[in-house]
Amino acid sequence: MKVVQIQIKFALAKGVTAGTAINYLGIQVGEVTRVELSENNQAIIAHAKLWNSATEFARQGSQFWLVSAKVGLFKSEHLDTLIKGRLYVKYSG
């Protein structure tokens, strides 16, 4: 299996932990391996690995965002992320 190591920088990374899944088009394409503060303590750095064909996302400009559960009276979303958050990739080849 081809694996590429990447670093993702966040201003706030609530819910991102080692093991957080990285998804694209509904399938898991990688995972976070560890999370730490940046050297200047102004950002969070998530170290992650991408698998197989998802390694093309390992380029500057790929966007990752954290999805978390939203619970409301009339609509609830992403309830499967209540335990652990999930990162999604926005990729524009």
Side-chain angles (χ1 to χ4, degrees):
M1 175 187 313
K2 182 178 177 184
V3 176
V4 172
Q5 303 288 330
I6 63 169
Q7 294 181 3
I8 308 165
K9 184 177 178 181
F10 294 99
L12 180 66
K14 185 177 179 183
V16 176
T17 61
T20 296
I22 299 174
N23 290 276
Y24 180 70
L25 298 178
I27 62 167
Q28 186 172 350
V29 295
E31 71 180 10
V32 173
T33 55
R34 76 178 200 270
V35 179
E36 64 185 5
L37 283 172
S38 64
E39 287 184 16
N40 65 4
N41 295 328
Q42 300 298 309
I44 292 92
I45 307 296
H47 298 265
K49 57 185 175 183
L50 297 175
W51 307 315
N52 298 321
S53 61
T55 58
E56 67 186 73
F57 303 137
R59 65 174 67 190
Q60 189 148 351
S62 291
Q63 296 179 356
F64 296 80
W65 74 96
L66 180 64
V67 174
S68 56
K70 294 178 183 168
V71 180
L73 187 57
F74 299 105
K75 183 178 180 181
S76 297
E77 296 178 294
H78 311 293
L79 296 179
D80 57 329
T81 65
L82 280 171
I83 305 290
K84 261 190 190 179
R86 183 173 295 147
L87 289 171
Y88 282 87
V89 179
K90 180 180 180 185
Y91 176 70
S92 55

